[in-house]
Amino acid sequence: MEINTETKIMAVIGDPIDHSLSPFMHNHIIAENGYNAVYFPFRVQTEEGLKRFLRSAEILNFAGFNITMPHKQNIIPLLDGIDSEAEAYGAVNTVKIRDGKAYGYNTDVRGLFWALKENGAKLSGSRVMVIGAGGVAASLIRGASAAGIRSITVLNRTLKKAEQLCEGLNYAQAMAQTPENMRSTAASSDLIINCTSLGMSGTEHDFSDLSFLDETDAFLCDLIYNPWETNFLRYGRERGLTTINGMSMLICQGLISFEIFTDEKLDMRREYDRLLPLCEARLKKK
Ligand code: NAP
């Protein structure tokens, strides 16, 4: 590729950032579609560092940048504006620089819902079981009604956190993550999403019992993509259930961010189909 004065700068910031697949993904989209742009990872550790990075991005007229942990919330007061989704979720994962000003967006839930629908999950009118009540679960629950989801049951190790997420939402109810509740909720759900870190590489924690999947026909989604197939997904697949892992969400939120950076529409399906096997191979090589 040729770098010149018109080359647009894009980035992802966070800490840690070395493991991020976003530079690989975005630079691939750039190359495949012939954009004059380049996408860098930057390690930004502190809030002071975040302020300095934002100022630099404005001065250098970045196209935009993605934000991952730990800055998704603390970027908000530094921005010139945020869209309604980012406001509802209280978190920003995409910043667009426009005329020297910075605007925040959140593409996580839109990306997840797009991936679910494209892979055959029905959202409208569905009953959803969410396991976990952390940051992603919070956004997902708030974004659910716009997707036409009929009801959500949130099961979490710490019941109080699930209750807080469901407060004031007539379509959401909280439950403790007991074997009985897991089993009965799974049996009456159309879609089950694991939003915990249970089963993730590098942690020692996993579901101790997956038999709650024995009596369900639900579509299974795990937000984890490392390992590529968690025990949760494997157990379901071996029972004949349809499954997707967290790479689908990661790719789709990235594609939507890319559209925001460039103000152009991508062929989402084509890009997704191209990126999924590439990201799988890349992850397995690391
Ligand atoms: P988070 O805010 O840290 O929440 C973690 C959740 O996991 C909490 O509900 C926590 O329960 C539960 N948990 C952790 N250890 C547990 C254990 N030993 N037993 C039972 N529950 C446990 O995390 P997050 O940011 O929402 O992320 C959730 C998952 O999504 C992570 O696996 C993350 O890697 C993944 N993720 C994927 C993508 C993607 O693009 N695919 C994007 C973001 C995140 P308590 O409330 O009881 O602590």
Side-chain angles (χ1 to χ4, degrees):
M1 72 172 294
E2 191 188 318
I3 305 270
N4 53 36
T5 53
E6 298 301 311
T7 305
K8 284 289 179 192
I9 308 171
M10 304 173 182
V12 60
I13 62 166
D15 182 34
I17 201 65
D18 278 341
H19 69 287
S20 174
L21 278 172
S22 294
F24 173 75
M25 249 167 48
H26 285 262
N27 284 316
H28 185 83
I29 306 167
I30 288 167
E32 284 290 326
N33 292 284
Y35 284 101
N36 186 4
V38 62
Y39 188 104
F40 295 99
F42 289 109
R43 184 171 179 217
V44 175
Q45 291 172 280
T46 61
E47 288 200 29
E48 196 44 45
L50 181 64
K51 281 184 197 155
R52 284 205 301 267
F53 177 85
L54 180 61
R55 185 83 195 104
S56 311
E58 287 168 348
I59 292 167
L60 293 172
N61 200 23
F62 275 38
F65 58 93
N66 290 116
I67 307 161
T68 182
M69 299 296 282
H71 301 305
K72 282 184 163 188
Q73 282 86 26
N74 51 26
I75 186 92
I76 293 176
L78 307 178
L79 298 172
D80 295 294
I82 60 173
D83 81 337
S84 56
E85 274 175 293
E87 180 150 22
Y89 309 152
V92 161
N93 78 335
T94 303
V95 171
K96 161 96 177 162
I97 309 289
R98 210 179 273 120
D99 303 324
K101 290 195 178 338
Y103 300 93
Y105 300 83
N106 193 313
T107 66
D108 280 337
V109 176
R110 247 191 295 163
L112 173 63
F113 287 169
W114 189 93
L116 285 166
K117 283 195 267 190
E118 284 293 309
N119 282 286
K122 192 173 153 287
L123 295 184
S124 182
S126 67
R127 299 157 302 170
V128 180
M129 170 175 176
V130 170
I131 311 169
V136 180
S139 298
L140 194 166
I141 292 159
R142 286 181 210 139
S145 62
I149 286 170
R150 192 202 321 172
S151 65
I152 295 198
T153 305
V154 186
L155 298 103
N156 196 42
R157 173 179 63 177
T158 313
L159 175 60
K160 199 164 180 44
K161 278 166 75 178
E163 285 173 342
Q164 280 164 353
L165 294 194
C166 297
E167 217 172 281
L169 301 176
N170 59 9
Y171 57 87
Q173 63 162 334
M175 279 190 179
Q177 198 177 326
T178 63
E180 301 73 36
N181 287 344
M182 293 285 278
R183 183 175 282 274
S184 61
T185 308
S188 59
S189 294
D190 306 302
L191 169 62
I192 304 175
I193 308 178
N194 176 31
C195 298
T196 72
S197 49
L198 287 168
M200 187 159 72
S201 285
T203 67
E204 283 168 13
H205 305 288
D206 202 344
F207 289 98
S208 52
D209 177 13
L210 285 160
S211 63
F212 65 93
L213 297 175
D214 286 350
E215 284 151 42
T216 183
D217 296 325
F219 185 109
L220 302 189
C221 171
D222 202 325
L223 298 190
I224 294 168
Y225 52 81
N226 193 6
W228 192 255
E229 187 177 56
T230 55
N231 288 328
F232 165 74
L233 292 187
R234 187 177 47 76
Y235 191 100
R237 179 178 56 77
E238 286 173 355
R239 273 210 56 244
L241 303 180
T242 307
T243 67
I244 59 168
N245 71 13
M247 188 56 78
S248 299
M249 170 182 172
L250 186 76
I251 291 174
C252 296
Q253 61 78 30
L255 291 172
I256 301 169
S257 291
F258 196 89
E259 290 187 334
I260 293 172
F261 297 153
T262 56
D263 289 320
E264 282 183 39
K265 281 268 161 231
L266 288 170
D267 181 337
M268 288 278 290
R269 183 75 227 191
R270 191 187 64 177
E271 299 296 339
Y272 172 80
D273 287 341
R274 267 207 298 227
L275 282 168
L276 191 64
L278 292 174
C279 289
E280 178 178 8
R282 170 90 181 181
L283 194 73
K284 288 181 174 168
K285 210 170 78 183
K286 274 195 164 189

